[in-house]
Amino acid sequence: MKACALSPVLTTLASLTIFAGVARAADYPKEILADNPLLYYRFNDPAPVDAAFNRGIAGLSANGAYLGGVTHRVPGALAGSGSGAAEYLGNGGRTSVPFIPELNPPAASPFTIEAWVKPTIEGAGNAQCPLFNRHSTGNRQGWVFFQRPSAQGFNFRMYDQNGSTQSVDLTGGPYTIGEWSHLVAVWNGSSATLYVNGVSVGSQAAGYVANTDAPLGIGAYSADNPGDNAFTGSLDEVAFYNTALTSATILAHYTNGTSAQRTQPYSELVAASAPVLYLHLDEPAPDADVAANSGSLGPAGDALNFPGQKRGRPGALAASGDTATGYSAIDPLSCDGGVPTHVPFKPELNTAVFSVEAWLRPVINGTSNAQCPLYNRKEGDVRTGWAFFQRDAATGWNFRMYNGINADRSIDITSDIGYTVGEWVHLAATFDGFTGVLYVNGVARGTQTATGAYAPNTDTVEFSAGGFPNGIENPFTGDIDEVALYPSVLTAAQIMEHYQNGLDPGRTRSYESLVLSDGAVEYLRLNGAAYRPAANSGSLGAEADAAYVNTLNTGTGPQAPDYTGFETGNPAAVFNTNTYIELGNPAALNSAGIDFAGSISVEAWVTLNDPEPDDARIVSHGANDDTSPAEVSLRIKGGNYEFGSLNARASFTASPDTSTGAAVHLAGTYDGTSWNLFRNGVLVASTADPIGVTPVANANWAVGARGRWKRAAGYPASGQEAVFNGTIDEVAIYRQALSPNRVAAHYITGLAGAAPLQITRTGAIATLTWQKGTLQQSDGLSGFTDLPGAVSPYPIPPGSPRKYYRLRF
């Protein structure tokens, strides 16, 4: 008989019913967590949200949703600022903000609506609608903006529940197609005033009835006929206030927005008037992990982040909630394999004179293959541009510039002061065309006159933070914050001011405003949230959260009613070409350490697609790329499921039983003597191996592909090796070898729930019920046989002899 998984045993007596050994866990996740996995990924994470985040006092309740055709991070309205805007394509795409009372005060209460608007086509007869907050069916309520022909300007209408007739109808301010206009409408409780570019263009006293149900729309109608009267152009900095802004405040907003030399950020000016709603409309698109550029180069200087970074680290600025990004090396011993933030080549980032600064917190000492926190250099036999290197803590920081002759350096400055591992340092360098200066914590710590002409990078090599932009060489290990690049020479006083501001918990001017007012063309705040995280439910917690790479959890995992231990609609991660889930290499999961004590278990539910891959990883640590490649993985190889370890030897245990289209529970263990492979709760293969788990110090763990190794770029275009084709779910990794009984319990709980066989009694009748499996009985705890014809519910007549029952799956 083929091996099978068995349920716990129920014992029945003629007059007594007993549960014996029935699992009490409520569902599959509880059964897994009872065995204390280090990592457990359910892949039920929320889908990425394409949201416009509200910075106003109404908070998350006034977040908007981008719907339809909206282009993210186009150049924004604010002069000299890197703030982006949203572009609406005239096809019904819009940003919709749910109805909340705070955005619809009663008629007696004042309010102000403000936005920057850049139409890119002429106003039409069926007028384009950049801003909408109107109940339109029947008696109309609320307000709306329309774009009329450019010679007429913009039209603001309010309604008082009198059919479709407007109570306020103000038009003014001719506009130029392709240029930004600042629009403001103020209601003071009895009259409305329209402002265009800081100037009043008309007022009107009237009645008004607030909108009672419609969402606020940006870029098109948001209710009744959502998407109608679509606007074509860009919108930026939309704000709603529950006060009537004064004409002086409105003019100050317009003047600030049009001044590249502002001393106060526009956002701070808006925030001072306590907006209920404030949408920057500068969010990156949800399909790329972008570090937004706040410098004057704007969205053209946006950076791409490698997966595996740690976001939300405590930042460098004192008494600030602003966060930083953590960087690491795949192989910390050789300092190879990194997770940089890199920016496409731009001439504006490669000027003949420049300044560059950042806050750095190294967490390891500098090595001979020096860590590179900031890089803007062409590699190869002929080098141009510049780079920073972290030397050992006693030596300090090294700044190099190149002259385009072989690898010759025109500037090579090493600071005359060291650093402390684990502490923040402010690092800056300037070059005026002749002399380079290296600053540490606001003080010049090295000066050198260039030997030969400096050759800016003129190739397509990218600027990067956290290591070389290829993701392979000289990665930095630690946190980085507030990276800024200027096409000018900052003075010593400016650099000291930046440093002192960063340390000052009582600062009266924001650090951001200093950087922007001093002319940063590239300014990466590196304060983004984790991108598409896969939450870890295991004992390592959120520090071991993973990252979806070029994939999402849009597949179908094991779920009720077919698998009653799971929720209805339980999702799974989807894998095919160029996809994987990045786990990194947490210390507790590094098999070179002592934590595994010679034992390990790896578990997952998988569904294979056709064609079945010949070589694919389900869960893998490595392999690395040294002379003797090392690997620990649950994989498919040559049509077999395999689990084992490799280090110049084959020690995988294999089962030929692979098939497409059905969910399969796989578990691999190493128990100190053998590699064991379980399929659907049953041991299907075992291979003796006295060596056990192979150290893999220079490669990462991954789901759905070979883990990134230290010389693999792997993102965004080159993908990974040995990519799985199908879905994977419920991945768990343990430091101990699960027993065969525990593996079977996991599978049975997933298949049939926590109590697959149940017994109830009504009077003298005991009844067995089950949903899956074949009922077996025995007179003792062995010798079970199938009970022919038994179907659920199965009544046990009074007076029957004692029997033991279980299910065969």
Side-chain angles (χ1 to χ4, degrees), residues 525-607:
R525 305 214 64 193
L526 301 179
N527 57 359
Y531 178 74
R532 294 187 177 178
N536 173 39
S537 301
S539 61
L540 294 184
E543 186 65 18
D545 283 354
Y548 295 92
V549 182
N550 300 326
T551 188
L552 285 174
N553 55 342
T554 54
T556 301
Q559 57 184 249
D562 294 333
Y563 297 88
T564 55
F566 294 95
E567 313 92 309
T568 301
N570 178 47
V574 178
F575 300 90
N576 46 51
T577 305
N578 200 32
T579 57
Y580 68 106
I581 292 177
E582 175 64 66
L583 306 189
N585 195 12
L589 274 177
N590 186 351
S591 55
I594 62 173
D595 288 316
F596 280 110
S599 300
I600 188 174
S601 298
V602 177
E603 179 176 33
W605 289 77
V606 305
T607 302

Side-chain angles (χ1 to χ4, degrees), residues 342-413:
H342 54 112
V343 182
F345 174 85
K346 299 292 178 184
E348 295 89 340
L349 305 182
N350 296 276
T351 52
V353 299
F354 64 91
S355 302
V356 58
E357 70 176 333
W359 292 80
L360 311 172
R361 190 178 74 89
V363 297
I364 65 172
N365 195 32
T367 63
S368 57
N369 185 21
Q371 295 94 313
C372 178
L374 298 170
Y375 173 97
N376 197 23
R377 183 182 82 179
K378 178 185 176 182
E379 281 299 292
D381 295 334
V382 177
R383 293 182 178 178
T384 58
W386 56 263
F388 280 92
F389 294 100
Q390 176 194 347
R391 304 303 177 187
D392 66 81
T395 302
W397 303 92
N398 178 215
F399 178 63
R400 291 180 171 179
M401 300 172 62
Y402 299 85
N403 60 16
I405 302 174
N406 301 320
D408 294 352
R409 304 160 200 155
S410 56
I411 296 285
D412 191 353
I413 306 173

